[in-house]
Amino acid sequence: MAKKRDYTKIGTCIFCKRDTSQTTFKEKAHTVSKSLGGQNIGVDICDECNHYFGEPDKKLFPRLSIEVCVKEILGLSQILLQDNPDKILKSKYFNYYRNLGKITVKPQFRRNRQWLQLFAHQFKRGLYEMWLQEYHKFSNDGLNPVFDEIRRFARYDIGDIPLYYAINNGCIPVGENIQHPTFNINEQSLQDMYDYGFYSLLIEGHFFLMEITSKARLSRCVYLPKMAQKLHIGSFIYRDLIEIKSITDIDFSYRTLFANNISIL
């Protein structure tokens, strides 16, 4: 029987920093959830950490899974943008009736502020988790100490890292593969990270700004206005740039785009 391969390059987990003598790397870790169409397989993510992101967090109440929070929000946006009559929404929190142009919210999606803020917290952890996996796959540099804050936040829920969101006016910029979303790591994104500590992410039509290194805290007053100007905040495409506090800060049902035929009840 053939030996099951290890999904490693360096052989040390980018999240818990344990190596092959302490843990296993036998299971595929999709950098973006497979349920969203993610095709990239991460490396140096141990099986225990990989399971952690997909399981309900036992330290929280209610127990919201990081992976579920991400795929619920991006999954709904994805199915709205694809407009594929054969595509069925498989969701824990939402029903989408394509023929009626209506989204209904299931009882599991609670309306109280604390729950919505916790959902946003888990969503943020998920984006930072995916970024580190994609960055490491691209660079083999995910163990760099400058990313220790992301490690602590995403894997161990220590501290908090801001996430910013550009609110659109109904004109959705789609510059990536909707069916197979990924994080675009390129020369410009690396330069922004080195110069300002930020990374800009366009995924399922949503534009986010992520604080990747501690340098971001010092450069917010420069970088955020710079990006607001670049995005023409207050004009045709985007009307505001905000820090996400509640999951409903994200227009994941594209109310602005489908205002005439999508209603959330």
Side-chain angles (χ1 to χ4, degrees):
M1 184 176 179
K3 182 180 179 182
K4 194 172 184 179
R5 62 162 289 189
D6 283 348
Y7 289 93
T8 60
K9 280 191 177 179
I10 295 173
T12 299
C13 179
I14 60 173
F15 291 106
C16 68
K17 295 188 177 182
R18 292 181 296 172
D19 61 28
T20 52
S21 69
Q22 301 166 299
T23 189
T24 57
F25 298 80
K26 302 296 184 184
E27 299 183 13
K28 291 182 180 180
H30 286 81
T31 56
V32 176
S33 174
K34 188 177 180 180
S35 64
L36 291 171
Q39 296 179 318
N40 286 348
I41 304 300
V43 292
D44 297 315
I45 301 139
C46 78
D47 297 334
E48 186 175 332
C49 287
N50 187 29
H51 288 165
Y52 171 79
F53 293 117
E55 295 294 322
D57 196 324
K58 296 179 181 178
K59 296 181 180 179
L60 300 177
F61 183 81
R63 295 180 175 180
L64 294 174
S65 159
I66 291 173
E67 182 178 303
V68 169
C69 288
V70 172
K71 71 181 183 182
E72 284 288 310
I73 297 306
L74 297 184
L76 179 57
S77 298
Q78 183 185 69
I79 201 167
L80 289 171
L81 290 177
Q82 287 186 61
D83 194 27
N84 181 350
D86 296 324
K87 186 74 172 178
I88 299 173
L89 176 65
K90 296 179 180 179
S91 172
K92 179 178 181 179
Y93 296 112
F94 309 104
N95 288 313
Y96 174 42
Y97 304 96
R98 191 183 301 274
N99 60 330
L100 299 176
K102 182 170 67 176
I103 298 168
T104 60
V105 179
K106 296 180 181 179
Q108 293 91 327
F109 190 87
R110 305 182 188 183
R111 304 301 184 100
N112 68 78
R113 187 173 70 170
Q114 182 180 1
W115 191 88
L116 295 173
Q117 289 176 341
L118 181 57
F119 200 117
H121 182 76
Q122 295 296 82
F123 178 84
K124 290 195 303 179
R125 291 175 69 194
L127 285 195
Y128 281 102
E129 168 228 335
M130 292 191 297
W131 180 88
L132 188 59
Q133 292 187 45
E134 291 261 7
Y135 174 77
H136 182 69
K137 184 176 179 65
F138 172 84
S139 66
N140 295 330
D141 189 39
L143 284 164
N144 192 316
V146 299
F147 307 126
D148 281 349
E149 190 170 352
I150 288 180
R151 249 182 292 281
R152 290 192 293 267
F153 176 58
R155 177 62 176 88
Y156 299 104
D157 198 12
I158 298 173
D160 190 23
I161 305 179
L163 178 67
Y164 305 92
Y165 178 66
I167 303 175
N168 68 75
N169 282 316
C171 182
I172 310 299
V174 182
E176 26 89 42
N177 190 328
I178 294 298
Q179 293 183 342
H180 306 291
T182 187
F183 284 55
N184 186 19
I185 310 291
N186 54 35
E187 289 186 10
Q188 183 58 58
S189 66
L190 292 176
Q191 195 62 54
D192 282 354
M193 185 180 75
Y194 297 144
D195 292 346
Y196 301 102
F198 275 89
Y199 173 78
S200 58
L201 169 65
L202 178 62
I203 188 166
E204 304 301 355
H206 300 292
F207 192 90
F208 299 99
L209 293 176
M210 305 173 67
E211 295 196 358
I212 299 303
T213 71
S214 59
K215 182 178 284 189
R217 288 195 291 272
L218 302 175
S219 63
R220 286 172 192 161
C221 59
V222 174
Y223 186 76
L224 293 179
K226 174 185 174 182
M227 287 303 297
Q229 184 176 16
K230 182 178 179 179
L231 295 170
H232 304 290
I233 296 296
S235 60
F236 178 63
I237 298 178
Y238 297 109
R239 71 171 183 266
D240 202 359
L241 182 64
I242 64 169
E243 181 183 347
I244 293 172
K245 299 293 187 181
S246 167
I247 199 61
T248 50
D249 290 336
I250 302 172
D251 185 14
F252 52 86
S253 67
Y254 288 126
R255 296 182 300 273
T256 51
L257 179 62
F258 299 105
N260 294 325
N261 54 4
I262 294 289
S263 61
I264 295 185
L265 302 180

